[in-house]
């Protein structure tokens, strides 16, 4: 069954305009991230590790005079360093509470090497959650403490499992990617994740996250790459993925290029013969979307575009077949090297 060209053109154009508008609106929005904790809990070193850039001064000493600090990053991201509601004079407490209320995410810092979740810290947390529940509890300095799982469980038990607890070391960088993912989880719900993600130095993890999420969404739609009742939402998912990846890597894609790529992968035959094999070697992809033609096509498209961006290859449809085949060969060689040669065919549930 062939796709009606007029229907495809209309569907694609509408999806491209809609997704472009959604992404552009994100890029004009501000992200406000408040950090609360004492002066020795590693807030500054954490955001330096998170953004992989020295954007905040470090080296505050215990007992040093505390104040509220705005730490801008690029044009639209602002970190706010706050000492906590009980550690400043009353007028500052009111200002601090205002920051918490307006923040997109609050990073509540605890010191794994100190008294974890003291009575005062728990009171602060309860006061903050009255105005904002988008909180991530950051258990820092795990490199200087023992029995971290027990500390995490203690925090969860005493906060009724309301918030994610992320154990990190701002000194070694351990689990910083976990913190990044938790931030993106919250920002995505507020349609602010794209702008934040494109300012991260390490983009591959975010790209993988988006590709697999698009694959799952496509699998949920349950469409084969043919016209029908599911063709419109599937086109929207794939167009959105192309635009998000191009924005992430700051390599804009034209409407004509995007249309050509989609025609080659979805309408044409370039990807159909090998995309099922590709997902066999993509960690997590096979188990999530391996049973879906639509999901597997989307994942293959996403990883090909990601590879082209990361290797400065122009996004041209003519390149896709060789990229697909190269990715398949590369991943198969890697699998054979570390896991042994396994030529078993994939079985797809229909």
């Amino acid at each position: 069954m062939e796709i009606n060209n007029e229907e495809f053109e209309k569907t694609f154009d509408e999806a491209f305009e809609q997704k472009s508008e959604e992404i552009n609106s994100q890029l004009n929005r501000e992200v406000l991230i408040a950090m609360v904790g004492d002066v020795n809990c590693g807030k500054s070193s954490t955001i330096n590790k998170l953004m992989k850039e020295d954007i905040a001064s470090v080296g505050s000493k215990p007992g040093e005079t505390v104040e509220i600090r705005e730490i801008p990053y690029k044009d639209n991201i602002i970190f706010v360093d706050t000492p906590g509601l009980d550690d400043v004079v009353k007028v500052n407490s009111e200002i601090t509470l205002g920051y918490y209320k307006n923040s997109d995410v609050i990073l509540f810092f605890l010191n794994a090497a100190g008294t974890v979740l003291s009575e005062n810290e728990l009171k602060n947390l309860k006061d903050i959650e009255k105005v904002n529940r988008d909180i991530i509890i950051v258990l820092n300095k795990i490199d200087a403490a023992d029995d971290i799982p027990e500390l995490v469980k203690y925090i969860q038990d005493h906060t009724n499992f309301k918030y994610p607890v992320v154990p990190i070391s701002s000194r070694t960088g351990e689990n910083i990617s976990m913190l990044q993912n938790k931030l993106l989880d919250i920002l995505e719900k507020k349609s602010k994740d794209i702008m934040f993600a494109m300012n991260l130095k390490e983009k591959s993890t975010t790209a993988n996250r988006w590709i697999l999420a698009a694959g799952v969404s496509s699998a949920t739609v349950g469409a084969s790459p043919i016209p029908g009742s599911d063709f419109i939402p599937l086109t929207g998912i794939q167009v959105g993925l192309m635009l998000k990846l191009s924005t992430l890597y700051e390599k804009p894609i034209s409407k004509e290029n995007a249309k050509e790529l989609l025609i080659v992968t979805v309408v044409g035959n370039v990807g159909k013969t090998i995309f099922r094999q590709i997902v066999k070697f993509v960690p997590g992809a096979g188990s999530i979307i391996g049973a879906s033609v639509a999901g597997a096509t989307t994942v293959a498209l996403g990883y090909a575009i990601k590879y082209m961006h990361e290797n400065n290859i122009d996004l041209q449809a003519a390149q896709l077949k060789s990229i697909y085949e190269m990715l398949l060969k590369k991943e198969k060689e890697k699998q054979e090297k570390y896991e042994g040669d396994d030529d078993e065919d994939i079985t797809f549930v229909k």
Side-chain angles (χ1 to χ4, degrees), residues 273-281 321-336:
T273 58
I274 61 175
F275 68 79
R276 292 189 178 191
Q277 297 171 357
I278 288 176
V279 296
K280 179 178 180 181
F281 306 106
K321 187 173 188 296
S322 60
I323 295 297
Y324 275 172
E325 291 173 343
M326 183 279 303
L327 282 174
L328 176 61
K329 180 180 179 182
K330 182 178 179 180
E331 292 299 332
K332 187 170 183 178
E333 288 174 351
K334 187 188 299 182
Q335 176 126 333
E336 290 174 352

Side-chain angles (χ1 to χ4, degrees), residues 136-176:
I136 300 172
I137 298 176
V138 182
L139 180 63
N140 195 12
K141 303 192 177 183
I142 61 173
D143 55 299
D146 298 319
D147 205 355
I148 303 306
E150 187 63 31
L151 288 178
V152 170
K153 183 178 183 303
Y154 176 84
I155 296 167
Q156 291 172 329
D157 288 342
H158 286 78
T159 56
N160 297 316
F161 291 81
K162 291 180 183 177
Y163 310 109
V165 180
V166 184
I168 70 163
S169 169
S170 61
R171 187 180 69 82
T172 67
E174 185 177 357
N175 289 345
I176 290 296

Side-chain angles (χ1 to χ4, degrees), residues 35-265:
M35 305 179 295
V36 56
D38 65 46
V39 295
N40 198 36
C41 65
K43 290 173 288 184
S44 295
S45 55
T46 295
I47 62 172
N48 288 344
K49 273 288 194 300
L50 183 70
M51 309 309 293
K52 293 190 176 179
E53 189 172 337
D54 291 334
I55 62 174
S57 60
V58 295
S60 297
K61 299 176 181 178
E64 185 176 317
T65 302
V66 293
E67 59 182 10
I68 301 166
R69 287 193 305 151
E70 283 195 4
I71 306 168
Y73 181 70
K74 300 294 179 69
D75 296 326
N76 298 80
I77 301 174
I78 299 175
F79 293 93
V80 182
D81 186 354
T82 70
L85 294 173
D86 292 337
D87 296 328
V88 291
V89 296
K90 183 175 178 59
V91 63
N92 275 2
S93 290
E94 294 300 320
I95 295 172
T96 303
L97 199 61
Y99 273 114
Y100 296 151
K101 184 176 181 180
N102 295 317
S103 292
D104 294 296
V105 186
I106 297 170
L107 302 181
F108 192 91
F109 281 80
L110 299 174
N111 186 350
T115 303
V116 175
L117 202 62
S118 66
E119 183 178 340
N120 185 59
E121 287 171 330
L122 188 56
K123 179 181 181 300
N124 260 337
L125 180 62
K126 290 180 178 179
D127 287 339
I128 292 169
E129 68 182 8
K130 292 175 184 176
V131 297
N132 194 334
R133 289 181 174 270
D134 290 319
I135 299 170
I136 300 172
I137 298 176
V138 182
L139 180 63
N140 195 12
K141 303 192 177 183
I142 61 173
D143 55 299
D146 298 319
D147 205 355
I148 303 306
E150 187 63 31
L151 288 178
V152 170
K153 183 178 183 303
Y154 176 84
I155 296 167
Q156 291 172 329
D157 288 342
H158 286 78
T159 56
N160 297 316
F161 291 81
K162 291 180 183 177
Y163 310 109
V165 180
V166 184
I168 70 163
S169 169
S170 61
R171 187 180 69 82
T172 67
E174 185 177 357
N175 289 345
I176 290 296
S177 61
M178 184 189 300
L179 177 59
Q180 173 185 312
N181 284 331
K182 294 299 181 184
L183 274 165
L184 289 172
D185 283 342
I186 295 176
L187 293 175
E188 185 176 7
K189 295 175 184 176
K190 301 186 176 190
S191 297
K192 292 188 175 186
D193 60 316
I194 296 176
M195 192 273 291
F196 185 79
M198 67 182 291
N199 283 287
L200 295 171
K201 294 292 190 295
E202 200 285 309
K203 301 179 186 297
S204 182
T205 300
T206 302
N208 292 344
R209 168 194 180 98
W210 288 349
I211 291 166
L212 292 181
V216 171
S217 296
S218 296
T220 301
V221 167
S224 296
I226 57 175
S229 61
D230 298 317
F231 177 65
I232 291 176
L234 178 60
T235 300
I237 291 167
Q238 294 178 329
V239 169
L241 177 61
M242 286 191 286
L243 288 171
K244 285 176 71 174
L245 290 173
S246 295
T247 302
L248 178 68
Y249 288 98
E250 300 182 69
K251 297 186 178 184
I253 182 172
S254 70
K255 179 187 285 190
E256 290 309 310
N257 266 8
K259 185 181 295 184
E260 188 179 10
L261 290 170
L262 201 59
I263 288 173
V264 167
T265 55

